[in-house]
Structure formats: C-alpha cells, structure tokens
Amino acid sequence: MVQIRLTNTRTRRKEDLVPIDPQNVRLYLCGPTVYDRAHLGNARPVLVFDVLVRLLNHIYGADHVTYVRNFTDVDDKINAEAQRRKTAGSPLSLEALINERTAETIGWYHADMDALGAMRPDHEPRATQYITQMIAMNADLIAKGHAYEAEGHVLFDVRSFPDYGKLSGRSVDDMIAGARVEVAPFKRDPMDFVLWKPSSGDLPGWDSPWGRGRPGWHIECSAMSAALLGPHFDIHGGGLDLQFPHHENEIAQSCCAHPGEGFANIWLHNEMLQVEGKKMSKSLGNFFTVRDLLDKGIAGEVIRLVFLETHYRKPMDWSEERRQSAERRLSKWANIRRNALPKDHRPFDKADIDDQVIEALANDLNTHAALTRLYEMERAAKDAGRDQDIEPVMRFFATLDFLGFTKLDIHQQQRSNSVSEAVSDVLDNGSLVESLLTARAEARKARDFARADAIRDGFAAAGVDVKDTAAGPEWSLATGFDAGRLAELARNFGA
Ligand code: AMP
Ligand code: ZN
C-alpha cells in the first residue's frame, strides 16, 4: 500500500499518515461562513482537500473515508445582511431573512465548488443543527474547570490548558503581546475566548443554562467534528490564517472536553492565495469571487489546474498568464481525447491510474510533480494515439479523470442563472423536504418501515440527498433534482 506523507503543522514535520482506523479514515475541513459568495482564496482549502480525499479514496477505498466540511450559519455578518434587507423594506421577518441569506449562500457555494470539480463532502453539517452538542460541550468544559460563566458569556480559561499555543508555537504571554485581543472586564485573562455569548432582541438565539444566546465560532467545529468523526480523528485542516486563533482554540476545547483522546493527529494548512503580495480577503477588499471568474467564461477546470500547479504550502497568485497557460493545456487534452480516445472505450479502472502520479501526491500532496508527470504522459498518449495504441491513452485520461479533469471544455458556458435556479429550488422546496422528513420520522416511530423506506426511495428518485446524522437528517438537492417528483411524493405521503 502506498504510504501517504503529510506536513503536520503541529510537529512542523513531514509525517507518515497512519490511520487510526484504516477502515474509516476521517478528516475535517473548516468550511465557510455563509454570508456572501466565496472569494477565490476560499477555493484553495477546498481544492487541497479535494485532492487529498481523492488520494485517500484511491488508497483506502471511498467507503473507508469520511470527509466533513461545515457551514457556519450563525454569525454577525449574516445577521447584518438580513438586517440590511429588513431596513431596505423587506416584509419578511429577520429570521426568514437570515434563512434566506444562508440558503442562497450555501446554494452559491455548492454551485461554485461543483464547477471547480470539487467533490461534495460526506457530511456538511450546519452549525445551527448542532447547538445542543455545543451547549453540552460548554457545560462539560465548565464542569471540568476549563471554562467559566461571566455576564451571560461562557469563556474558555486558557491558563487551564498548559498546551495552549503549541500549534502556533507561541506562549500565552507572547500572544497577549502580539495579538489584538478583545479586552472585556469579565475575562479572567485577555486571551480567554468566547464559547457562548448572549443574544439580544430578535437576533438568533437558543435557550441555555446561561440564558438565551448563541455559540462562539470555535466551539462549533469542536462540537461538529466530535459528533461526526468522534473525539480522535486523522486530519484537520484549513487555511494558514486559521491556525491561530481558530485551530488553537479548537484544540484547547476538544482536548479539555475529551482528555487523553488527542483530537486531530495531523494538522494540514494551506498557504494563502495572494494579490500583489497580500492575502486575498474580504476585509482587505482585494478579492474577486469564484463566480466572477466563471461568469467571465473561465472554465472551472482551468481554475482547478491553475491551483494544482502550485504546492499547497506555497503562497500563490492568480494571474492572466497562468489562466492562459491552463487553457492551452486543457485544449490540448481535449484534442488528444477527440483524436485518440475511442468513444466506446472501456470504463476507467483504478488500475489505469498512473502510479507515479499517486506517488507524487502521496508525497505531501505534490500536485506540481503530479502535473509534471502528467505532461510526460500527455506526450506518450499523443504518440500512442497516432499508432492506435489505446493503453497509454487510457492511462492518461483515467489519471486526468482521477484528478478531477473530466469536462476538458474551456468554452463551457457557466450559466450564472443556473445558480439562482439552484438557490430558488432550495428556497421553494425546503418546506416540502422538511415535511416529508417529519412524515418519515413518524413512520419510523410507528414502526411502519415500508412507508419510511418508500419516502427514502422517493427522495432518491427526486434527487434529494438525505443523510442521517447524530443531530438528525441533513439534506441537499442533487444535480438531477426534480421538483415535480418531490411534489408528487409530498402529495402521496400527505406531507
Ligand atoms: P473564512 O470564510 O474566511 O473562514 O474562510 C474559509 C476558508 O478559506 C478558511 O479555510 C480560510 O483559511 C481559507 N482562506 C481564506 N482566505 C484565503 C486565501 N486568501 N488563500 C487561501 N485560503 C484562504
Ligand atoms: Zn473550524
């Protein structure tokens, strides 16, 4: 079996990945806060993890890999946008406007990341579905002496966790000196961070032992990863900008709540996508979105290829020159496919995928080396095509397929209205799906399994993906979603 090696930020070394359970390799990527479209930098961790998951699937089998990426759907920026719509005269309640904003942003995110050829994770938990687990974790941290309540807030006591700062290699005192920390009179230490905060008025809030409130950002990932992957799993990642404070705080929470478990074995961080030497970010205003590029007619696979050219631990820039070079490359591949790959070729098989490409990826996801090897294979496929030799051609296209290059069409029209269609599908059909899920739960409770299974099959036929998780069912609309079939299903089951 090929040995994967990854640079672990925690130990600052390249390490062998030794799965805790090779039957179930588990990984968690911090996902987006869904208040606005993803900018191009936000696509980088998604593509890095997409390559990693493809590699893990290849080596361990797709049924033995669990990939979780969350949506942070409770946040001040989401509330601010909803508030703006209300002030602008929307008749909807603030709650409905918040739901509208998160649903449309999740729809955009799916459409944009799908266009880049990124596979959907196995679980995409939303923070608001795991509030009970967050409250329980906070209560547990208080009981264990790692957190305290003050003025409706719950705060993590950083001095209670001697390893605080290890991931980023800093002591608490260094951090205080270097960081912009929020000074609040009720904090015991300036570095103590919020696990729970009060919610006022009509802002989203949940009842808790500390009053009506909402979770801090960091506890969301600790609670969701524990619920879906357990207290000890293999790989946790995100952009380097999340190393401190977000990941440092996740480690503190999870290790204190589950002592002796160890949380994530390997921490994987991608370097930043930059614009003129500065990190692309919404707050700096130096950003453009994935959708901006797609709308300009740049194919998703072109964007994908530009990203894969640079190793994930190196900073990278988006440039016109790189775009053109990726377009030339994809056109070449499309030409070879047209000329050399028979339309009725046998399906690609795992054994067709090139070993040297796999080895390059297994070496700390060296996508640049994998592409260099692919360019050699490209020449061999071209020559072989001329000689009517199918095997090198099959190997080349099977390997491209494995790397997520399947369309090879640089002129594909990225219809942005398909995105708004996807969003309105979610908004229009959400209540039908929810009522059918309730009908299914009732059928199960009444032990009418035939009825429950019929609803499950109906969902599959209508193109609604449903996953049952510890926190209840999660659903999303698949590409072939059929609103007519869903409506019929709802009529048949009185939902
Ligand atoms: P955010 O919504 O800001 O939390 O970001 C979502 C993900 O994108 C996180 O994993 C960030 O680390 C990552 N990210 C944000 N900006 C960049 C950038 N310029 N380059 C690469 N990754 C980024
Ligand atoms: Zn996180």
Side-chain angles (χ1 to χ4, degrees):
M1 192 180 270
V2 180
Q3 177 62 58
I4 300 181
R5 289 172 65 72
L6 296 168
T7 299
N8 187 353
T9 319
R10 194 164 56 84
T11 57
R12 289 157 187 79
R13 277 203 304 266
K14 217 195 263 190
E15 287 178 9
D16 285 356
L17 169 73
V18 182
I20 299 163
D21 173 7
Q23 295 300 312
N24 186 15
V25 185
R26 287 158 288 157
L27 60 167
Y28 186 98
L29 175 65
C30 295
T33 303
V34 285
Y35 70 101
D36 206 353
R37 279 194 181 281
H39 67 62
L40 192 65
N42 298 140
R44 197 166 192 200
V46 175
L47 290 173
V48 171
F49 263 61
D50 187 57
V51 171
L52 174 60
V53 168
R54 284 167 190 267
L55 178 68
L56 292 168
N57 287 349
H58 180 79
I59 295 176
Y60 296 96
D63 293 344
H64 303 291
V65 177
T66 307
Y67 172 25
V68 178
R69 183 183 66 211
N70 70 292
F71 287 119
T72 292
D73 61 349
V74 47
D75 183 82
D76 289 341
K77 292 191 269 300
I78 304 173
N79 300 340
E81 173 58 26
Q83 200 67 265
R84 195 193 60 71
R85 290 182 181 188
K86 182 114 195 105
T87 314
S90 168
L92 297 177
S93 70
L94 194 63
E95 191 188 349
L97 287 166
I98 287 171
N99 289 339
E100 182 180 75
R101 186 61 179 167
T102 54
E104 74 187 352
T105 312
I106 289 173
W108 288 335
Y109 191 78
H110 276 148
D112 294 351
M113 299 306 138
D114 289 354
L116 302 183
M119 297 187 300
R120 300 256 182 114
D122 298 297
H123 300 279
E124 296 184 280
R126 299 185 195 185
T128 53
Q129 296 169 323
Y130 287 79
I131 301 288
T132 316
Q133 288 86 337
M134 294 171 203
I135 292 174
M137 200 165 192
N138 289 344
D140 186 32
L141 286 168
I142 295 177
K144 287 181 170 137
H146 292 292
Y148 56 95
E149 183 190 358
E151 298 180 21
H153 292 70
V154 178
L155 293 139
F156 188 91
D157 175 2
V158 292
R159 302 278 178 186
S160 77
F161 180 55
D163 279 354
Y164 191 74
K166 264 208 168 148
L167 179 71
S168 34
R170 286 184 276 185
S171 71
V172 176
D173 294 318
D174 287 349
M175 287 178 186
I176 295 175
R180 268 188 298 151
V181 285
E182 195 189 333
V183 186
F186 50 79
K187 281 189 185 179
R188 288 185 194 161
D189 187 287
M191 290 309 290
D192 289 354
F193 57 88
V194 169
L195 301 175
W196 189 262
K197 57 190 161 193
S199 265
S200 58
D202 46 4
L203 286 180
W206 292 263
D207 290 332
S208 81
W210 321 287
R212 187 174 172 277
R214 60 207 148 111
W217 171 36
H218 317 297
I219 197 72
E220 296 177 9
C221 290
S222 282
M224 288 185 279
S225 61
L228 292 163
L229 299 176
H232 187 200
F233 56 94
D234 298 290
I235 305 169
H236 191 132
L240 195 56
D241 56 339
L242 297 191
Q243 184 182 1
F244 177 80
H246 183 54
H247 289 162
E248 201 76 72
N249 293 355
E250 277 190 49
I251 292 175
Q253 295 159 166
S254 295
C255 290
C256 291
H258 310 290
E261 290 287 353
F263 197 30
N265 278 357
I266 293 187
W267 284 85
L268 200 75
H269 289 107
N270 62 270
E271 250 294 354
M272 295 292 105
L273 180 91
Q274 300 185 334
V275 181
E276 286 161 3
K278 286 210 178 77
K279 160 187 163 185
M280 176 179 279
S281 81
K282 295 239 169 76
S283 53
L284 292 175
N286 61 350
F287 70 94
F288 45 90
T289 65
V290 174
R291 182 51 51 182
D292 290 334
L293 294 182
L294 296 171
D295 279 349
K296 273 197 207 162
I298 301 172
E301 289 185 357
V302 169
I303 303 173
R304 185 178 179 89
L305 184 55
V306 170
F307 273 96
L308 264 54
E309 281 284 359
T310 306
H311 189 255
Y312 76 95
R313 295 182 59 242
K314 293 206 175 103
M316 70 169 278
D317 281 302
W318 172 266
S319 75
E320 184 52 23
E321 195 187 325
R322 288 176 165 207
R323 172 184 76 82
Q324 286 175 6
S325 141
E327 280 185 351
R328 279 195 298 274
R329 193 59 84 172
L330 276 164
S331 305
K332 244 190 225 170
W333 295 346
N335 264 332
I336 303 175
R337 186 168 66 180
R338 226 179 349 265
N339 298 330
L341 187 69
K343 287 236 157 20
D344 57 350
H345 68 81
R346 63 178 155 79
F348 297 133
D349 185 77
K350 191 178 157 181
D352 292 319
I353 298 168
D354 184 66
D355 289 341
Q356 290 184 45
V357 166
I358 297 295
E359 272 159 32
L361 297 181
N363 180 13
D364 203 19
L365 302 182
N366 194 339
T367 48
H368 183 79
L371 288 173
T372 305
R373 164 68 186 151
L374 208 62
Y375 302 151
E376 277 169 33
M377 293 172 68
E378 171 193 306
R379 275 193 298 277
K382 205 168 155 192
D383 295 344
R386 230 175 270 135
D387 304 338
Q388 310 266 307
D389 179 4
I390 172 86
E391 287 313 312
V393 182
M394 282 294 287
R395 259 201 305 287
F396 178 57
F397 286 102
T399 308
L400 275 183
D401 182 83
F402 160 74
L403 282 171
F405 297 101
T406 55
K407 299 192 180 83
L408 310 184
D409 178 4
I410 64 163
H411 302 296
Q412 83 207 50
Q413 277 301 319
Q414 304 285 348
R415 291 191 312 127
S416 48
N417 60 348
S418 68
V419 180
S420 43
E421 275 165 25
V423 172
S424 55
D425 274 349
V426 171
L427 293 174
D428 296 347
N429 296 293
S431 59
L432 280 189
V433 176
E434 297 287 351
S435 344
L436 278 160
L437 286 171
T438 309
R440 190 189 60 157
E442 281 164 2
R444 281 184 180 166
K445 214 164 157 196
R447 308 192 64 78
D448 185 350
F449 297 115
R451 184 176 165 87
D453 287 352
I455 298 178
R456 178 199 61 200
D457 296 345
F459 275 137
V464 181
D465 285 337
V466 177
K467 283 192 195 106
D468 287 304
T469 72
E474 279 172 19
W475 61 270
S476 60
L477 302 184
T479 323
F481 170 68
D482 183 335
R485 281 194 159 183
L486 181 69
E488 194 188 324
L489 188 68
R491 275 196 301 278
N492 290 345
F493 289 92

